[in-house]
Amino acid sequence: MRILLVEARFYPHVSDALYDGAVQALGAADAIFDRLEVPGALEIPAAISLAADRYDGFVALGCVIRGETYHFEIVAQESARGLMDLSVNRGLSIGNGILTVENEEQAMARASHDRLDKGGDAVRACLALIDVKSRFETQ
């Protein structure tokens, strides 16, 4: 099983924490993975689309923190919509680990492996979808 971790680096310390949790979950599953860094959350769906035929599953990692403008809503909604479109329309197994939070404190609580471990959760979601897909392919 080959997984691609696509990681938005806009908030590198948050991304690093998400990545650490994801790597631990992938190690527990004995999954082979590659890491691809992109600038921000909006680039994640495009990167997954470009790599769609090369991997069994994908994990989106990143963070969108609310600011003073409407940009937060656009990035949060459109990155999630892009991932959902890929999952539903192309049958891709994607774990969504893009945090959408009010502040950095919330981001780190969710990203840290020893707290809410959303990177690890995204990996586990991806692996579960791969399993579901394989069940339907063998019927």
Side-chain angles (χ1 to χ4, degrees), residues 19-113:
Y19 178 79
D20 290 345
V23 168
Q24 289 187 32
L26 287 164
D30 290 326
I32 297 168
F33 70 94
D34 292 320
R35 179 183 193 179
L36 177 64
E37 296 178 359
V38 296
L42 285 176
E43 290 77 34
I44 292 175
I48 290 173
S49 179
L50 293 169
D53 298 331
R54 298 178 185 209
Y55 293 89
D56 300 304
F58 302 88
V59 177
L61 300 175
C63 182
V64 185
I65 299 176
R66 185 180 300 278
E68 296 177 358
T69 69
Y70 186 70
H71 187 67
F72 169 85
E73 283 82 3
I74 292 170
V75 175
Q77 290 173 3
E78 292 303 310
S79 62
R81 183 195 55 79
L83 294 176
M84 187 59 68
D85 285 352
L86 288 168
S87 181
V88 172
N89 297 331
R90 294 187 60 186
L92 301 182
S93 300
I94 302 172
N96 185 351
I98 300 175
L99 306 177
T100 52
V101 296
E102 297 292 326
N103 54 52
E104 188 174 336
E105 181 181 338
Q106 289 178 355
M108 290 309 296
R110 286 156 179 74
S112 298
H113 173 68

